Amino acid sequence: LPSMSSQSPEWTLERVKLAVSQGSRVHPRAVDIGNGFSVKYGMYIDSQEADATTFVATHTSVPVPEIHATLHDEVDSMTYIVQSKLPGCSLSLLLPTLQADQQATIELELKEILRQLSSLDSCGQMGMVGKPSQFLGFHPFEVHGKRQISQNSSTGLLIRQILPLVVRSSSPLT
């Protein structure tokens, strides 16, 4: 990260764009910019994502990145969200190496995360986990009128294909 410390960086659009250009791509729309920070950016990244992340952090114990800045470039219509990186590794990389009891532990953690997210009151336009969408007009986990995920169903498919979670470093698995 160009001349920024993790203590109290000054997040300006120019500095963030430079850090993105020099960072290490971790996703098509996310870059590790060093010092424990990453930036999500793009034309389809919305500042409401940062608001939602902050809302989840405030009202649950679900581990989410701390949002440090949200910047918008009017010239190229790009939004940049500067956030802290969560410790751990990608669940998609870790899952194939786990024993059944370890997967069961993660399944319980994911169920608790889903329980906390579905308890949040502010649904908003796009809906929330386990609640209908005001904008889309249907339950987010319904396909052809049938709920695809229930509280009692196995979350193995959910673990492998839907949730891009990070296993926390405090997990007994690491």
Side-chain angles (χ1 to χ4, degrees), residues 67-105:
I67 303 299
H68 295 276
T70 304
L71 305 159
H72 185 73
D73 187 341
E74 297 293 333
V75 175
D76 61 10
S77 299
M78 301 277 273
T79 298
Y80 299 82
I81 299 174
V82 180
Q83 58 192 16
S84 59
K85 291 172 39 183
L86 293 177
C89 63
S90 170
L91 185 55
S92 64
L93 297 175
L94 182 65
L95 194 61
T97 69
L98 300 178
Q99 301 296 321
D101 62 326
Q102 294 172 314
Q103 289 183 12
T105 299

PDB file of all heavy atoms in Angstrom, residues 67-105:
ATOM      1  N   ILE A  67     -15.365  -1.934   7.579  1.00  0.00           N
ATOM      2  CA  ILE A  67     -15.355  -1.008   6.451  1.00  0.00           C
ATOM      3  C   ILE A  67     -14.590   0.250   6.868  1.00  0.00           C
ATOM      4  O   ILE A  67     -14.894   0.877   7.878  1.00  0.00           O
ATOM      5  CB  ILE A  67     -16.793  -0.630   6.022  1.00  0.00           C
ATOM      6  CG1 ILE A  67     -17.601  -1.879   5.674  1.00  0.00           C
ATOM      7  CG2 ILE A  67     -16.768   0.373   4.868  1.00  0.00           C
ATOM      8  CD1 ILE A  67     -17.053  -2.701   4.525  1.00  0.00           C
ATOM      9  N   HIS A  68     -13.571   0.607   6.067  1.00  0.00           N
ATOM     10  CA  HIS A  68     -12.750   1.779   6.380  1.00  0.00           C
ATOM     11  C   HIS A  68     -13.090   2.978   5.513  1.00  0.00           C
ATOM     12  O   HIS A  68     -12.920   4.112   5.947  1.00  0.00           O
ATOM     13  CB  HIS A  68     -11.261   1.432   6.236  1.00  0.00           C
ATOM     14  CG  HIS A  68     -10.827   0.415   7.230  1.00  0.00           C
ATOM     15  ND1 HIS A  68     -10.465   0.738   8.515  1.00  0.00           N
ATOM     16  CD2 HIS A  68     -10.735  -0.934   7.141  1.00  0.00           C
ATOM     17  CE1 HIS A  68     -10.158  -0.365   9.170  1.00  0.00           C
ATOM     18  NE2 HIS A  68     -10.311  -1.392   8.360  1.00  0.00           N
ATOM     19  N   ALA A  69     -13.547   2.734   4.293  1.00  0.00           N
ATOM     20  CA  ALA A  69     -13.904   3.849   3.401  1.00  0.00           C
ATOM     21  C   ALA A  69     -14.737   3.327   2.242  1.00  0.00           C
ATOM     22  O   ALA A  69     -14.573   2.180   1.804  1.00  0.00           O
ATOM     23  CB  ALA A  69     -12.649   4.533   2.869  1.00  0.00           C
ATOM     24  N   THR A  70     -15.617   4.166   1.770  1.00  0.00           N
ATOM     25  CA  THR A  70     -16.359   3.913   0.535  1.00  0.00           C
ATOM     26  C   THR A  70     -16.173   5.156  -0.330  1.00  0.00           C
ATOM     27  O   THR A  70     -16.506   6.266   0.090  1.00  0.00           O
ATOM     28  CB  THR A  70     -17.860   3.676   0.813  1.00  0.00           C
ATOM     29  OG1 THR A  70     -17.994   2.603   1.735  1.00  0.00           O
ATOM     30  CG2 THR A  70     -18.606   3.348  -0.459  1.00  0.00           C
ATOM     31  N   LEU A  71     -15.613   4.944  -1.512  1.00  0.00           N
ATOM     32  CA  LEU A  71     -15.309   6.069  -2.407  1.00  0.00           C
ATOM     33  C   LEU A  71     -15.942   5.810  -3.771  1.00  0.00           C
ATOM     34  O   LEU A  71     -16.011   4.662  -4.220  1.00  0.00           O
ATOM     35  CB  LEU A  71     -13.796   6.220  -2.567  1.00  0.00           C
ATOM     36  CG  LEU A  71     -13.014   6.357  -1.253  1.00  0.00           C
ATOM     37  CD1 LEU A  71     -11.570   5.999  -1.452  1.00  0.00           C
ATOM     38  CD2 LEU A  71     -13.156   7.759  -0.723  1.00  0.00           C
ATOM     39  N   HIS A  72     -16.385   6.870  -4.427  1.00  0.00           N
ATOM     40  CA  HIS A  72     -16.984   6.716  -5.753  1.00  0.00           C
ATOM     41  C   HIS A  72     -16.287   7.658  -6.730  1.00  0.00           C
ATOM     42  O   HIS A  72     -16.101   8.832  -6.446  1.00  0.00           O
ATOM     43  CB  HIS A  72     -18.479   7.013  -5.715  1.00  0.00           C
ATOM     44  CG  HIS A  72     -19.153   6.746  -7.017  1.00  0.00           C
ATOM     45  ND1 HIS A  72     -19.401   5.468  -7.479  1.00  0.00           N
ATOM     46  CD2 HIS A  72     -19.617   7.586  -7.967  1.00  0.00           C
ATOM     47  CE1 HIS A  72     -19.994   5.533  -8.656  1.00  0.00           C
ATOM     48  NE2 HIS A  72     -20.130   6.808  -8.972  1.00  0.00           N
ATOM     49  N   ASP A  73     -15.896   7.107  -7.872  1.00  0.00           N
ATOM     50  CA  ASP A  73     -15.277   7.894  -8.934  1.00  0.00           C
ATOM     51  C   ASP A  73     -16.357   8.223  -9.959  1.00  0.00           C
ATOM     52  O   ASP A  73     -16.832   7.334 -10.670  1.00  0.00           O
ATOM     53  CB  ASP A  73     -14.140   7.097  -9.574  1.00  0.00           C
ATOM     54  CG  ASP A  73     -13.337   7.916 -10.563  1.00  0.00           C
ATOM     55  OD1 ASP A  73     -13.834   8.974 -11.034  1.00  0.00           O
ATOM     56  OD2 ASP A  73     -12.216   7.500 -10.886  1.00  0.00           O
ATOM     57  N   GLU A  74     -16.759   9.455 -10.014  1.00  0.00           N
ATOM     58  CA  GLU A  74     -17.819   9.895 -10.933  1.00  0.00           C
ATOM     59  C   GLU A  74     -17.392   9.759 -12.390  1.00  0.00           C
ATOM     60  O   GLU A  74     -18.228   9.532 -13.266  1.00  0.00           O
ATOM     61  CB  GLU A  74     -18.218  11.349 -10.650  1.00  0.00           C
ATOM     62  CG  GLU A  74     -18.812  11.574  -9.275  1.00  0.00           C
ATOM     63  CD  GLU A  74     -20.171  10.899  -9.101  1.00  0.00           C
ATOM     64  OE1 GLU A  74     -20.896  10.700 -10.099  1.00  0.00           O
ATOM     65  OE2 GLU A  74     -20.498  10.564  -7.944  1.00  0.00           O
ATOM     66  N   VAL A  75     -16.092   9.882 -12.667  1.00  0.00           N
ATOM     67  CA  VAL A  75     -15.604   9.833 -14.041  1.00  0.00           C
ATOM     68  C   VAL A  75     -15.803   8.457 -14.662  1.00  0.00           C
ATOM     69  O   VAL A  75     -16.312   8.330 -15.772  1.00  0.00           O
ATOM     70  CB  VAL A  75     -14.111  10.253 -14.115  1.00  0.00           C
ATOM     71  CG1 VAL A  75     -13.565  10.079 -15.509  1.00  0.00           C
ATOM     72  CG2 VAL A  75     -13.934  11.687 -13.630  1.00  0.00           C
ATOM     73  N   ASP A  76     -15.394   7.409 -13.943  1.00  0.00           N
ATOM     74  CA  ASP A  76     -15.528   6.064 -14.516  1.00  0.00           C
ATOM     75  C   ASP A  76     -16.643   5.234 -13.871  1.00  0.00           C
ATOM     76  O   ASP A  76     -16.754   4.041 -14.121  1.00  0.00           O
ATOM     77  CB  ASP A  76     -14.199   5.306 -14.472  1.00  0.00           C
ATOM     78  CG  ASP A  76     -13.668   5.103 -13.060  1.00  0.00           C
ATOM     79  OD1 ASP A  76     -14.398   5.364 -12.085  1.00  0.00           O
ATOM     80  OD2 ASP A  76     -12.514   4.663 -12.935  1.00  0.00           O
ATOM     81  N   SER A  77     -17.461   5.873 -13.035  1.00  0.00           N
ATOM     82  CA  SER A  77     -18.611   5.226 -12.370  1.00  0.00           C
ATOM     83  C   SER A  77     -18.211   4.004 -11.547  1.00  0.00           C
ATOM     84  O   SER A  77     -18.957   3.034 -11.448  1.00  0.00           O
ATOM     85  CB  SER A  77     -19.680   4.830 -13.393  1.00  0.00           C
ATOM     86  OG  SER A  77     -20.163   5.961 -14.050  1.00  0.00           O
ATOM     87  N   MET A  78     -17.036   4.052 -10.950  1.00  0.00           N
ATOM     88  CA  MET A  78     -16.545   2.947 -10.138  1.00  0.00           C
ATOM     89  C   MET A  78     -16.691   3.291  -8.658  1.00  0.00           C
ATOM     90  O   MET A  78     -16.409   4.417  -8.243  1.00  0.00           O
ATOM     91  CB  MET A  78     -15.070   2.667 -10.432  1.00  0.00           C
ATOM     92  CG  MET A  78     -14.777   2.310 -11.865  1.00  0.00           C
ATOM     93  SD  MET A  78     -15.063   0.600 -12.218  1.00  0.00           S
ATOM     94  CE  MET A  78     -13.488  -0.057 -11.761  1.00  0.00           C
ATOM     95  N   THR A  79     -17.116   2.301  -7.878  1.00  0.00           N
ATOM     96  CA  THR A  79     -17.170   2.438  -6.428  1.00  0.00           C
ATOM     97  C   THR A  79     -16.066   1.569  -5.843  1.00  0.00           C
ATOM     98  O   THR A  79     -15.821   0.462  -6.318  1.00  0.00           O
ATOM     99  CB  THR A  79     -18.548   2.005  -5.889  1.00  0.00           C
ATOM    100  OG1 THR A  79     -19.542   2.867  -6.445  1.00  0.00           O
ATOM    101  CG2 THR A  79     -18.610   2.074  -4.369  1.00  0.00           C
ATOM    102  N   TYR A  80     -15.412   2.065  -4.809  1.00  0.00           N
ATOM    103  CA  TYR A  80     -14.325   1.372  -4.129  1.00  0.00           C
ATOM    104  C   TYR A  80     -14.688   1.246  -2.652  1.00  0.00           C
ATOM    105  O   TYR A  80     -14.976   2.256  -2.003  1.00  0.00           O
ATOM    106  CB  TYR A  80     -13.009   2.148  -4.258  1.00  0.00           C
ATOM    107  CG  TYR A  80     -12.551   2.313  -5.679  1.00  0.00           C
ATOM    108  CD1 TYR A  80     -13.060   3.327  -6.488  1.00  0.00           C
ATOM    109  CD2 TYR A  80     -11.595   1.459  -6.222  1.00  0.00           C
ATOM    110  CE1 TYR A  80     -12.643   3.469  -7.807  1.00  0.00           C
ATOM    111  CE2 TYR A  80     -11.168   1.607  -7.532  1.00  0.00           C
ATOM    112  CZ  TYR A  80     -11.701   2.607  -8.313  1.00  0.00           C
ATOM    113  OH  TYR A  80     -11.283   2.750  -9.613  1.00  0.00           O
ATOM    114  N   ILE A  81     -14.675   0.018  -2.137  1.00  0.00           N
ATOM    115  CA  ILE A  81     -14.922  -0.215  -0.718  1.00  0.00           C
ATOM    116  C   ILE A  81     -13.628  -0.743  -0.112  1.00  0.00           C
ATOM    117  O   ILE A  81     -13.159  -1.825  -0.466  1.00  0.00           O
ATOM    118  CB  ILE A  81     -16.061  -1.226  -0.498  1.00  0.00           C
ATOM    119  CG1 ILE A  81     -17.371  -0.708  -1.104  1.00  0.00           C
ATOM    120  CG2 ILE A  81     -16.233  -1.515   0.999  1.00  0.00           C
ATOM    121  CD1 ILE A  81     -18.516  -1.713  -1.054  1.00  0.00           C
ATOM    122  N   VAL A  82     -13.045   0.045   0.787  1.00  0.00           N
ATOM    123  CA  VAL A  82     -11.821  -0.347   1.482  1.00  0.00           C
ATOM    124  C   VAL A  82     -12.244  -1.038   2.770  1.00  0.00           C
ATOM    125  O   VAL A  82     -13.018  -0.491   3.556  1.00  0.00           O
ATOM    126  CB  VAL A  82     -10.936   0.874   1.808  1.00  0.00           C
ATOM    127  CG1 VAL A  82      -9.663   0.437   2.521  1.00  0.00           C
ATOM    128  CG2 VAL A  82     -10.620   1.663   0.549  1.00  0.00           C
ATOM    129  N   GLN A  83     -11.751  -2.268   2.946  1.00  0.00           N
ATOM    130  CA  GLN A  83     -12.159  -3.037   4.112  1.00  0.00           C
ATOM    131  C   GLN A  83     -10.981  -3.821   4.677  1.00  0.00           C
ATOM    132  O   GLN A  83     -10.004  -4.077   3.975  1.00  0.00           O
ATOM    133  CB  GLN A  83     -13.292  -3.989   3.748  1.00  0.00           C
ATOM    134  CG  GLN A  83     -12.936  -4.951   2.628  1.00  0.00           C
ATOM    135  CD  GLN A  83     -14.151  -5.691   2.081  1.00  0.00           C
ATOM    136  OE1 GLN A  83     -15.286  -5.320   2.310  1.00  0.00           O
ATOM    137  NE2 GLN A  83     -13.896  -6.762   1.365  1.00  0.00           N
ATOM    138  N   SER A  84     -11.106  -4.185   5.948  1.00  0.00           N
ATOM    139  CA  SER A  84     -10.082  -5.031   6.548  1.00  0.00           C
ATOM    140  C   SER A  84     -10.273  -6.453   6.046  1.00  0.00           C
ATOM    141  O   SER A  84     -11.357  -6.836   5.613  1.00  0.00           O
ATOM    142  CB  SER A  84     -10.190  -4.990   8.073  1.00  0.00           C
ATOM    143  OG  SER A  84     -11.471  -5.444   8.468  1.00  0.00           O
ATOM    144  N   LYS A  85      -9.205  -7.211   6.081  1.00  0.00           N
ATOM    145  CA  LYS A  85      -9.280  -8.619   5.682  1.00  0.00           C
ATOM    146  C   LYS A  85      -9.558  -9.457   6.912  1.00  0.00           C
ATOM    147  O   LYS A  85      -8.994  -9.215   7.972  1.00  0.00           O
ATOM    148  CB  LYS A  85      -7.963  -9.053   5.044  1.00  0.00           C
ATOM    149  CG  LYS A  85      -7.708  -8.428   3.694  1.00  0.00           C
ATOM    150  CD  LYS A  85      -6.330  -8.715   3.150  1.00  0.00           C
ATOM    151  CE  LYS A  85      -5.856 -10.110   3.410  1.00  0.00           C
ATOM    152  NZ  LYS A  85      -4.504 -10.381   2.947  1.00  0.00           N
ATOM    153  N   LEU A  86     -10.430 -10.450   6.747  1.00  0.00           N
ATOM    154  CA  LEU A  86     -10.674 -11.390   7.837  1.00  0.00           C
ATOM    155  C   LEU A  86      -9.557 -12.417   7.869  1.00  0.00           C
ATOM    156  O   LEU A  86      -9.047 -12.823   6.827  1.00  0.00           O
ATOM    157  CB  LEU A  86     -12.016 -12.102   7.638  1.00  0.00           C
ATOM    158  CG  LEU A  86     -13.267 -11.247   7.759  1.00  0.00           C
ATOM    159  CD1 LEU A  86     -14.504 -12.086   7.451  1.00  0.00           C
ATOM    160  CD2 LEU A  86     -13.372 -10.641   9.140  1.00  0.00           C
ATOM    161  N   PRO A  87      -9.176 -12.863   9.050  1.00  0.00           N
ATOM    162  CA  PRO A  87      -8.147 -13.902   9.119  1.00  0.00           C
ATOM    163  C   PRO A  87      -8.712 -15.239   8.649  1.00  0.00           C
ATOM    164  O   PRO A  87      -9.920 -15.460   8.677  1.00  0.00           O
ATOM    165  CB  PRO A  87      -7.798 -13.947  10.609  1.00  0.00           C
ATOM    166  CG  PRO A  87      -9.017 -13.435  11.297  1.00  0.00           C
ATOM    167  CD  PRO A  87      -9.633 -12.434  10.354  1.00  0.00           C
ATOM    168  N   GLY A  88      -7.850 -16.113   8.212  1.00  0.00           N
ATOM    169  CA  GLY A  88      -8.278 -17.447   7.812  1.00  0.00           C
ATOM    170  C   GLY A  88      -7.980 -17.718   6.359  1.00  0.00           C
ATOM    171  O   GLY A  88      -7.193 -17.022   5.726  1.00  0.00           O
ATOM    172  N   CYS A  89      -8.617 -18.769   5.847  1.00  0.00           N
ATOM    173  CA  CYS A  89      -8.422 -19.142   4.457  1.00  0.00           C
ATOM    174  C   CYS A  89      -9.782 -19.430   3.827  1.00  0.00           C
ATOM    175  O   CYS A  89     -10.783 -19.563   4.527  1.00  0.00           O
ATOM    176  CB  CYS A  89      -7.489 -20.344   4.330  1.00  0.00           C
ATOM    177  SG  CYS A  89      -8.121 -21.839   5.093  1.00  0.00           S
ATOM    178  N   SER A  90      -9.801 -19.554   2.532  1.00  0.00           N
ATOM    179  CA  SER A  90     -11.036 -19.787   1.798  1.00  0.00           C
ATOM    180  C   SER A  90     -11.633 -21.138   2.154  1.00  0.00           C
ATOM    181  O   SER A  90     -10.948 -22.169   2.114  1.00  0.00           O
ATOM    182  CB  SER A  90     -10.752 -19.719   0.292  1.00  0.00           C
ATOM    183  OG  SER A  90     -11.872 -20.164  -0.428  1.00  0.00           O
ATOM    184  N   LEU A  91     -12.903 -21.140   2.491  1.00  0.00           N
ATOM    185  CA  LEU A  91     -13.582 -22.385   2.827  1.00  0.00           C
ATOM    186  C   LEU A  91     -13.601 -23.338   1.639  1.00  0.00           C
ATOM    187  O   LEU A  91     -13.496 -24.557   1.808  1.00  0.00           O
ATOM    188  CB  LEU A  91     -15.002 -22.095   3.308  1.00  0.00           C
ATOM    189  CG  LEU A  91     -15.828 -23.266   3.804  1.00  0.00           C
ATOM    190  CD1 LEU A  91     -15.109 -24.011   4.913  1.00  0.00           C
ATOM    191  CD2 LEU A  91     -17.188 -22.793   4.266  1.00  0.00           C
ATOM    192  N   SER A  92     -13.694 -22.808   0.430  1.00  0.00           N
ATOM    193  CA  SER A  92     -13.710 -23.677  -0.751  1.00  0.00           C
ATOM    194  C   SER A  92     -12.396 -24.442  -0.913  1.00  0.00           C
ATOM    195  O   SER A  92     -12.374 -25.549  -1.433  1.00  0.00           O
ATOM    196  CB  SER A  92     -14.013 -22.875  -2.018  1.00  0.00           C
ATOM    197  OG  SER A  92     -12.999 -21.933  -2.274  1.00  0.00           O
ATOM    198  N   LEU A  93     -11.280 -23.876  -0.444  1.00  0.00           N
ATOM    199  CA  LEU A  93      -9.997 -24.568  -0.479  1.00  0.00           C
ATOM    200  C   LEU A  93      -9.841 -25.534   0.691  1.00  0.00           C
ATOM    201  O   LEU A  93      -9.236 -26.595   0.558  1.00  0.00           O
ATOM    202  CB  LEU A  93      -8.845 -23.564  -0.459  1.00  0.00           C
ATOM    203  CG  LEU A  93      -8.754 -22.601  -1.640  1.00  0.00           C
ATOM    204  CD1 LEU A  93      -7.627 -21.596  -1.416  1.00  0.00           C
ATOM    205  CD2 LEU A  93      -8.542 -23.360  -2.931  1.00  0.00           C
ATOM    206  N   LEU A  94     -10.391 -25.163   1.827  1.00  0.00           N
ATOM    207  CA  LEU A  94     -10.239 -25.961   3.031  1.00  0.00           C
ATOM    208  C   LEU A  94     -11.172 -27.166   3.066  1.00  0.00           C
ATOM    209  O   LEU A  94     -10.788 -28.244   3.525  1.00  0.00           O
ATOM    210  CB  LEU A  94     -10.490 -25.078   4.256  1.00  0.00           C
ATOM    211  CG  LEU A  94     -10.323 -25.719   5.624  1.00  0.00           C
ATOM    212  CD1 LEU A  94      -8.873 -26.130   5.839  1.00  0.00           C
ATOM    213  CD2 LEU A  94     -10.770 -24.760   6.707  1.00  0.00           C
ATOM    214  N   LEU A  95     -12.383 -27.015   2.568  1.00  0.00           N
ATOM    215  CA  LEU A  95     -13.412 -28.044   2.708  1.00  0.00           C
ATOM    216  C   LEU A  95     -12.995 -29.435   2.230  1.00  0.00           C
ATOM    217  O   LEU A  95     -13.229 -30.414   2.942  1.00  0.00           O
ATOM    218  CB  LEU A  95     -14.696 -27.593   2.000  1.00  0.00           C
ATOM    219  CG  LEU A  95     -15.939 -28.401   2.331  1.00  0.00           C
ATOM    220  CD1 LEU A  95     -16.272 -28.321   3.809  1.00  0.00           C
ATOM    221  CD2 LEU A  95     -17.103 -27.923   1.496  1.00  0.00           C
ATOM    222  N   PRO A  96     -12.338 -29.577   1.066  1.00  0.00           N
ATOM    223  CA  PRO A  96     -11.971 -30.928   0.610  1.00  0.00           C
ATOM    224  C   PRO A  96     -10.979 -31.649   1.530  1.00  0.00           C
ATOM    225  O   PRO A  96     -10.859 -32.869   1.471  1.00  0.00           O
ATOM    226  CB  PRO A  96     -11.338 -30.700  -0.762  1.00  0.00           C
ATOM    227  CG  PRO A  96     -11.788 -29.353  -1.187  1.00  0.00           C
ATOM    228  CD  PRO A  96     -12.015 -28.576   0.061  1.00  0.00           C
ATOM    229  N   THR A  97     -10.297 -30.903   2.385  1.00  0.00           N
ATOM    230  CA  THR A  97      -9.294 -31.511   3.259  1.00  0.00           C
ATOM    231  C   THR A  97      -9.839 -31.893   4.629  1.00  0.00           C
ATOM    232  O   THR A  97      -9.115 -32.469   5.431  1.00  0.00           O
ATOM    233  CB  THR A  97      -8.109 -30.545   3.465  1.00  0.00           C
ATOM    234  OG1 THR A  97      -8.546 -29.432   4.251  1.00  0.00           O
ATOM    235  CG2 THR A  97      -7.544 -30.072   2.136  1.00  0.00           C
ATOM    236  N   LEU A  98     -11.097 -31.579   4.898  1.00  0.00           N
ATOM    237  CA  LEU A  98     -11.664 -31.779   6.229  1.00  0.00           C
ATOM    238  C   LEU A  98     -12.308 -33.144   6.405  1.00  0.00           C
ATOM    239  O   LEU A  98     -12.888 -33.697   5.472  1.00  0.00           O
ATOM    240  CB  LEU A  98     -12.704 -30.695   6.521  1.00  0.00           C
ATOM    241  CG  LEU A  98     -12.209 -29.254   6.504  1.00  0.00           C
ATOM    242  CD1 LEU A  98     -13.360 -28.300   6.767  1.00  0.00           C
ATOM    243  CD2 LEU A  98     -11.103 -29.046   7.511  1.00  0.00           C
ATOM    244  N   GLN A  99     -12.235 -33.639   7.634  1.00  0.00           N
ATOM    245  CA  GLN A  99     -12.919 -34.861   8.019  1.00  0.00           C
ATOM    246  C   GLN A  99     -14.399 -34.537   8.255  1.00  0.00           C
ATOM    247  O   GLN A  99     -14.776 -33.377   8.403  1.00  0.00           O
ATOM    248  CB  GLN A  99     -12.302 -35.426   9.304  1.00  0.00           C
ATOM    249  CG  GLN A  99     -10.831 -35.749   9.200  1.00  0.00           C
ATOM    250  CD  GLN A  99     -10.575 -36.862   8.181  1.00  0.00           C
ATOM    251  OE1 GLN A  99     -11.331 -37.818   8.083  1.00  0.00           O
ATOM    252  NE2 GLN A  99      -9.510 -36.716   7.404  1.00  0.00           N
ATOM    253  N   ALA A 100     -15.234 -35.571   8.325  1.00  0.00           N
ATOM    254  CA  ALA A 100     -16.681 -35.391   8.501  1.00  0.00           C
ATOM    255  C   ALA A 100     -17.003 -34.617   9.774  1.00  0.00           C
ATOM    256  O   ALA A 100     -17.886 -33.750   9.766  1.00  0.00           O
ATOM    257  CB  ALA A 100     -17.378 -36.741   8.503  1.00  0.00           C
ATOM    258  N   ASP A 101     -16.301 -34.884  10.879  1.00  0.00           N
ATOM    259  CA  ASP A 101     -16.591 -34.171  12.124  1.00  0.00           C
ATOM    260  C   ASP A 101     -16.216 -32.698  12.025  1.00  0.00           C
ATOM    261  O   ASP A 101     -16.879 -31.835  12.591  1.00  0.00           O
ATOM    262  CB  ASP A 101     -15.904 -34.838  13.316  1.00  0.00           C
ATOM    263  CG  ASP A 101     -14.385 -34.854  13.206  1.00  0.00           C
ATOM    264  OD1 ASP A 101     -13.861 -34.967  12.081  1.00  0.00           O
ATOM    265  OD2 ASP A 101     -13.722 -34.769  14.262  1.00  0.00           O
ATOM    266  N   GLN A 102     -15.164 -32.388  11.279  1.00  0.00           N
ATOM    267  CA  GLN A 102     -14.771 -30.997  11.072  1.00  0.00           C
ATOM    268  C   GLN A 102     -15.801 -30.276  10.195  1.00  0.00           C
ATOM    269  O   GLN A 102     -16.142 -29.124  10.443  1.00  0.00           O
ATOM    270  CB  GLN A 102     -13.385 -30.934  10.439  1.00  0.00           C
ATOM    271  CG  GLN A 102     -12.284 -31.456  11.354  1.00  0.00           C
ATOM    272  CD  GLN A 102     -10.963 -31.571  10.639  1.00  0.00           C
ATOM    273  OE1 GLN A 102     -10.890 -32.091   9.518  1.00  0.00           O
ATOM    274  NE2 GLN A 102      -9.899 -31.088  11.271  1.00  0.00           N
ATOM    275  N   GLN A 103     -16.290 -30.966   9.153  1.00  0.00           N
ATOM    276  CA  GLN A 103     -17.338 -30.391   8.314  1.00  0.00           C
ATOM    277  C   GLN A 103     -18.599 -30.148   9.135  1.00  0.00           C
ATOM    278  O   GLN A 103     -19.281 -29.132   8.946  1.00  0.00           O
ATOM    279  CB  GLN A 103     -17.628 -31.293   7.121  1.00  0.00           C
ATOM    280  CG  GLN A 103     -16.514 -31.310   6.102  1.00  0.00           C
ATOM    281  CD  GLN A 103     -16.848 -32.165   4.892  1.00  0.00           C
ATOM    282  OE1 GLN A 103     -17.980 -32.573   4.686  1.00  0.00           O
ATOM    283  NE2 GLN A 103     -15.844 -32.424   4.070  1.00  0.00           N
ATOM    284  N   ALA A 104     -18.906 -31.059  10.054  1.00  0.00           N
ATOM    285  CA  ALA A 104     -20.091 -30.901  10.910  1.00  0.00           C
ATOM    286  C   ALA A 104     -19.947 -29.657  11.799  1.00  0.00           C
ATOM    287  O   ALA A 104     -20.924 -28.935  12.022  1.00  0.00           O
ATOM    288  CB  ALA A 104     -20.305 -32.146  11.759  1.00  0.00           C
ATOM    289  N   THR A 105     -18.728 -29.398  12.277  1.00  0.00           N
ATOM    290  CA  THR A 105     -18.479 -28.197  13.086  1.00  0.00           C
ATOM    291  C   THR A 105     -18.730 -26.942  12.260  1.00  0.00           C
ATOM    292  O   THR A 105     -19.376 -25.995  12.722  1.00  0.00           O
ATOM    293  CB  THR A 105     -17.027 -28.196  13.621  1.00  0.00           C
ATOM    294  OG1 THR A 105     -16.843 -29.347  14.433  1.00  0.00           O
ATOM    295  CG2 THR A 105     -16.726 -26.946  14.422  1.00  0.00           C
TER     296      THR A 105
END
